[in-house]
Amino acid sequence: MTVALDTDIKRLSGVGSAVGARLQKLGITTVGSLLYHFPRAYEFRGNIKTVASAEDGETASFVLTVTAPPTYAKTRSGLMIFKVPAGDGTGVCTVTFFNQAYIKNTLIAGVSYRFYGKVSRHGKHVELHSPVYEPYSETLLPLYPVYPATEGFSSVRINKLVSAIIDRADTVIPENLPAEVIEAERLMSRTEAIRTIHHPSSLEAIADAKRRLAFEELFGFALNARRQRKTEDGLPRAPFHKCDCSAFKNAVGFEFTNAQKRVMNEIYADLTSEDGRAPMRRMVSGDVGSGKTVCAQFAAYVAAENGYQTALMAPTEILARQHYEDCKKLFSALGKTVCLLVSDIPAKKKNEVFECLASGECDLVIGTHALITDKVNFKNLGLVVCDEQHRFGVGQREALLKKGEGSHMLVMSATPIPRTLALVLFGDLDVSVIDEMPPGRRTVRTAYRDEESRDKIYDFIKAQVKEGRQAYIVCPGIEETEDDGLIPLEALSADFSPDSYNKQVKKRKAAVNYAETLSTEVFPDLRVGYLHGKMKGVQKSAVMKAFERGELDILVSTTVIEVGINVPNASVMLVEDADCFGLSQLHQLRGRVGRGKYASYCILMANDPGQNAVSRLKIMERENNGYKIAEFDLKQRGPGDFIRDNGEKIRQHGALKLRMAGALDDAQLLYRAFEWAEKYTSEDGNAARIFN
Ligand code: ADP
Ligand code: MG
């Protein structure tokens, strides 16, 4: 039976309007979106433990033979408790259930079952509480899917719906990749991949399914981006002519770096191109402090010389004000008018700005999303600049672009990402890279240290605080989680080992718990705060402000501090379990210190990492160029980290959600997906190769 993916989910048997509404909350509206609602994790039921080795509190699988019929008793609160005696030869175990009278008929003495559940152990006495169970056979699947679920619709029920479709032997899901691509890339068919991702038969199979589904995502994503680009080719463009830029060059107080010159040349060529090409759509990517602003200012200057206005949109009011001060200095020397538009300026002042924009008197306006409100009208907007582009949705950008006709666009991104990768991930933008820092930058001294140095490092932090500095301590997790036995989809690969995974995850430091330990045991005299992504917005900003004002000495945090914090007084960063992070991410994190006039340090700690991890971390000691680090990361770990870290940004460019691709460890696969997409969008059908 061929599955019609666009079938309304409510037409499935068992799905009425109430269930339909719950599913919609999960983004499931059609059969297709149900099948693409992938498990977030798997219960690893195939990892069978023995009763003798069962540990208190763990969640695990056991193959047990029921030794006698269940006994039952009533608890004081009126619950029926059923106890089933069972064993596996290494020990005996009591399996308990509450109020489930039917187990008398489903758990038969003398039969073996695979149980999966939570262990409680007191000495020799082992119990399993309300485990799931299935009659044991060699062919039981080792991995059981766990879905993102919602209140009123559990993972188990999602699994039932999915199973009803994919468990039919004759189910066929229409293929959406060209046959030659499947063959050349040795990919699973779509049907097999969907089946496998929901009901994997082995770790190898799941790795293959992920590969196929990641390829499919990337291919679709690339096709979209290519097509979008093609439709823009017909757009009108604000015509900019070549102009004399020497006044601009002289007004800027420094020599441009070679990278800046190159990028400005690229921008200039885009802006003044007269051959009927689409308006400029360019991303300038450069490390924090690499000098992107002057490139944007240059573009605004070219626009103004052509009689066009520029709007620069910054994600926060603070950033907008900073840009405004900067630009006002430069542009008033050049005889241009600069305005600021943020939400909390007085209404009267705002109206003046509106008038200034409508009359054309203002050459450059800098603001937050206050810029996209209806009241803002331009005389002739010719250029839109978005700083820190990932904070804006594509809708916001488009809204601003629409205020002009054929406006050019420049987006500035502070995430160093290899050019090759940026080209494919931001397929609808051209990419310029500033991979060089202005001279005289202080670097953050970085060192890898192991557990033996812990006390010394704590002392070092104390000494820095004593001198008036502040410190960041970064942890990979938020709270120590109970071992739920789940293996996230992302972590699974063909060579996955549950034991080493558990070991690795369990030892990780968690911000909340660690902050507690630090403030009571390690730094009792210091002011320690914590910050993580699950905190409410107001809570978060209260903590950030306290740290900014110097009311906290130490900020324990997850990676949320990557963006948005600027505390020049912070001089040390300690990263715990540094081996859990990608190098690019470490580099981004480290950019939070060394922003003031103080010598700054970044210490990367790892608890018993492998030799590979150590040599990876040591790269951070000697390399400061974000692009070189990113290249290395890409080679070693593949593009998954970048795709995940840039998820928001990428999602804005294509309608697709890159889910599988975030787990991708093979850069070549990514490039090939894009090559194929290129081939299928080029008019003549011939491969126009963009990569060699
Ligand atoms: P970012 O890329 O993070 O936006 P900015 O454009 O804000 O960086 O530049 C950071 C600082 O470096 C600014 O104070 C800027 O004036 C200065 N700067 C930029 N380019 C140069 C250069 N070529 N030489 C010296 N200083 C520069
Ligand atoms: Mg900047």
Side-chain angles (χ1 to χ4, degrees):
M1 187 194 65
T2 301
V3 179
L5 295 172
D6 55 2
T7 304
D8 189 327
I9 196 77
K10 293 207 254 334
R11 292 183 49 196
L12 292 188
S13 80
V15 184
S17 59
V19 168
R22 286 178 205 151
L23 288 172
Q24 190 160 15
K25 276 201 200 135
L26 295 165
I28 301 173
T29 52
T30 60
V31 167
S33 50
L34 172 67
L35 294 180
Y36 277 78
H37 189 72
F38 299 138
R40 65 178 168 85
Y42 299 89
E43 289 173 0
F44 202 27
R45 298 187 186 175
N47 192 27
I48 310 282
K49 293 207 97 175
T50 59
V51 173
S53 68
E55 287 170 38
D56 190 44
E58 77 173 332
T59 301
S61 278
F62 301 87
V63 173
L64 304 176
T65 306
V66 173
T67 48
T71 58
Y72 57 94
K74 219 177 197 139
T75 66
R76 235 178 285 159
S77 52
L79 285 176
M80 291 295 280
I81 175 164
F82 293 87
K83 296 189 176 231
V84 185
D88 66 358
T90 72
V92 293
C93 173
T94 307
V95 187
T96 61
F97 297 91
F98 289 100
N99 276 356
Q100 288 167 302
Y102 60 82
I103 61 126
K104 282 183 295 196
N105 308 321
T106 51
L107 286 175
I108 317 288
V111 178
S112 297
Y113 300 86
R114 184 174 77 182
F115 293 92
Y116 176 84
K118 191 162 172 182
V119 176
S120 87
R121 169 170 216 130
H122 302 284
K124 283 234 158 66
H125 189 72
V126 179
E127 286 194 16
L128 264 179
H129 296 295
S130 306
V132 291
Y133 57 89
E134 342 161 65
Y136 180 70
S137 86
E138 290 282 335
T139 57
L140 281 181
L141 293 180
L143 295 144
Y144 186 84
V146 178
Y147 294 94
T150 180
E151 208 171 317
F153 210 79
S154 66
S155 169
V156 171
R157 288 181 74 184
I158 293 171
N159 189 29
K160 279 207 181 105
L161 281 183
V162 172
S163 301
I165 301 170
I166 64 171
D167 286 355
R168 293 179 53 150
D170 62 345
T171 287
V172 176
I173 297 161
E175 187 51 70
N176 60 349
L177 289 176
E180 66 164 334
V181 175
I182 292 186
E183 191 180 341
E185 299 298 333
R186 278 182 259 128
L187 299 173
M188 267 185 181
S189 74
R190 193 183 191 190
T191 306
E192 192 185 354
I194 295 275
R195 246 195 203 122
T196 304
I197 207 72
H198 291 289
H199 294 169
S201 58
S202 67
L203 288 168
E204 287 77 16
I206 212 169
D208 272 354
K210 278 170 70 177
R211 189 167 164 276
R212 142 82 208 205
L213 294 166
F215 188 95
E216 180 185 314
E217 275 181 358
L218 293 165
F219 181 75
F221 172 76
L223 277 183
N224 257 13
R226 298 294 310 160
R227 289 192 181 126
Q228 185 176 342
R229 198 58 200 260
K230 281 212 183 301
T231 52
E232 288 200 340
D233 269 344
L235 287 184
R237 68 178 354 247
F240 285 15
H241 302 290
K242 296 197 166 55
C243 54
D244 181 4
C245 300
S246 51
F248 177 82
K249 199 168 160 233
N250 294 335
V252 173
F254 46 74
E255 281 288 306
F256 302 136
T257 62
N258 286 328
Q260 283 170 323
K261 285 184 201 159
R262 192 181 63 236
V263 170
M264 285 190 244
N265 285 335
E266 287 165 357
I267 291 172
Y268 189 68
D270 270 2
L271 290 178
T272 61
S273 142
E274 288 175 34
D275 60 1
R277 273 183 32 207
M280 172 168 80
R281 297 284 180 263
R282 185 168 288 278
M283 176 164 90
V284 174
S285 144
D287 242 335
V288 172
S290 62
K292 294 182 287 295
T293 312
V294 76
C295 299
Q297 288 167 334
F298 168 72
Y301 180 78
V302 175
E305 285 294 283
N306 275 278
Y308 278 93
Q309 295 167 293
T310 296
L312 192 165
M313 186 158 66
T316 64
E317 199 156 318
I318 298 174
L319 273 172
R321 284 180 192 279
Q322 263 171 20
H323 277 310
Y324 173 68
E325 295 304 328
D326 249 29
C327 290
K328 206 168 68 174
K329 238 182 271 160
L330 178 65
F331 280 90
S332 50
L334 291 162
K336 314 277 183 221
T337 307
V338 184
C339 296
L340 175 71
L341 186 65
V342 290
S343 37
D344 79 342
I345 55 175
K348 185 158 165 276
K349 185 90 194 149
K350 250 187 221 167
N351 285 329
E352 279 170 32
V353 176
F354 293 150
E355 272 167 39
C356 205
L357 290 172
S359 71
E361 187 191 331
C362 171
D363 298 295
L364 168 60
V365 63
I366 293 159
T368 52
H369 20 267
L371 286 171
I372 50 183
T373 51
D374 284 342
K375 289 204 176 138
V376 177
N377 290 299
F378 292 86
K379 177 147 184 266
N380 54 352
L381 177 68
L383 171 67
V384 164
V385 180
C386 298
D387 194 8
E388 306 292 346
Q389 144 254 8
H390 56 287
R391 305 272 196 96
F392 300 110
V394 82
Q396 288 172 309
R397 261 170 28 193
E398 294 294 320
L400 192 50
L401 279 171
K402 279 210 189 92
K403 292 182 183 283
E405 203 185 322
S407 300
H408 301 278
M409 181 178 72
L410 194 65
V411 293
M412 296 190 280
S413 160
T415 325
I417 175 170
R419 219 184 110 77
T420 46
L421 198 54
L423 277 174
V424 294
L425 293 182
F426 304 106
D428 61 341
L429 299 173
D430 293 311
V431 178
S432 292
V433 167
I434 309 187
D435 51 3
E436 180 187 0
M437 286 296 206
R441 279 296 141 82
R442 190 195 283 282
T443 59
V444 178
R445 278 190 58 192
T446 303
Y448 158 72
R449 291 287 181 270
D450 60 21
E451 280 298 323
E452 283 184 14
S453 316
R454 185 168 287 282
D455 290 339
K456 266 198 216 146
I457 288 161
Y458 287 152
D459 287 343
F460 179 71
I461 292 174
K462 283 180 202 159
Q464 288 279 308
V465 171
K466 209 163 168 203
E467 284 180 31
R469 302 288 80 73
Q470 289 162 283
Y472 294 102
I473 299 183
V474 181
C475 311
I478 297 176
E479 272 170 289
E480 277 161 26
T481 44
E482 252 187 88
D483 176 17
D484 57 7
L486 294 186
I487 315 246
L489 177 68
E490 249 166 38
L492 278 173
S493 62
D495 53 8
F496 178 83
S497 137
D499 289 337
S500 68
Y501 176 77
N502 279 334
K503 211 175 99 206
Q504 199 199 6
V505 170
K506 277 183 199 150
K507 71 172 196 198
R508 285 183 191 170
K509 290 237 173 0
V512 177
N513 312 64
Y514 189 40
E516 181 64 32
T517 315
L518 287 174
S519 66
T520 54
E521 290 165 27
V522 185
F523 305 115
D525 306 331
L526 305 184
R527 297 162 301 172
V528 180
Y530 66 81
L531 191 66
H532 60 74
K534 285 200 181 142
M535 279 160 72
K536 292 217 175 72
V538 279
Q539 261 181 315
K540 254 193 285 196
S541 57
V543 175
M544 286 214 245
K545 291 228 170 76
F547 192 65
E548 273 165 25
R549 284 196 296 259
E551 293 160 11
L552 292 171
D553 301 307
I554 295 175
L555 184 61
V556 185
S557 166
T558 58
T559 54
V560 288
I561 55 152
E562 258 180 81
V563 284
I565 273 203
N566 185 18
V567 181
N569 189 47
S571 63
V572 203
M573 173 176 287
L574 165 61
V575 183
E576 296 283 356
D577 302 312
D579 52 330
C580 299
F581 299 97
L583 294 187
S584 289
Q585 205 179 8
L586 289 174
H587 180 70
Q588 290 284 99
L589 285 168
R590 152 171 92 176
R592 295 293 117 193
V593 290
R595 304 184 139 228
K597 50 185 185 285
Y598 310 104
S600 296
Y601 309 88
C602 174
I603 302 139
L604 306 173
M605 281 277 249
N607 182 0
D608 190 22
Q611 197 45 49
N612 276 345
V614 172
S615 51
R616 252 167 30 88
L617 292 176
K618 288 206 171 237
I619 288 169
M620 298 300 292
E621 294 183 343
R622 54 176 194 268
E623 189 54 78
N624 259 297
N625 182 321
Y627 287 89
K628 296 217 174 108
I629 289 171
E631 287 289 354
F632 191 85
D633 234 8
L634 181 61
K635 249 189 238 137
Q636 288 260 305
R637 298 187 17 142
D641 286 349
F642 295 95
I643 294 171
R644 269 202 308 281
D645 292 350
N646 290 287
E648 267 315 304
K649 273 187 247 182
I650 295 164
R651 222 164 287 147
Q652 292 158 15
H653 291 272
L656 290 162
K657 222 161 128 182
L658 293 180
R659 204 158 151 224
M660 283 298 167
L664 200 62
D665 54 12
D666 177 3
Q668 293 311 315
L669 187 73
L670 174 93
Y671 295 141
R672 287 200 306 276
F674 280 81
E675 268 185 43
W676 283 110
E678 182 83 356
K679 176 173 170 179
Y680 280 89
T681 38
S682 57
E683 261 118 17
D684 56 5
N686 288 326
R689 299 185 85 82
I690 38 172
F691 304 104
N692 306 307

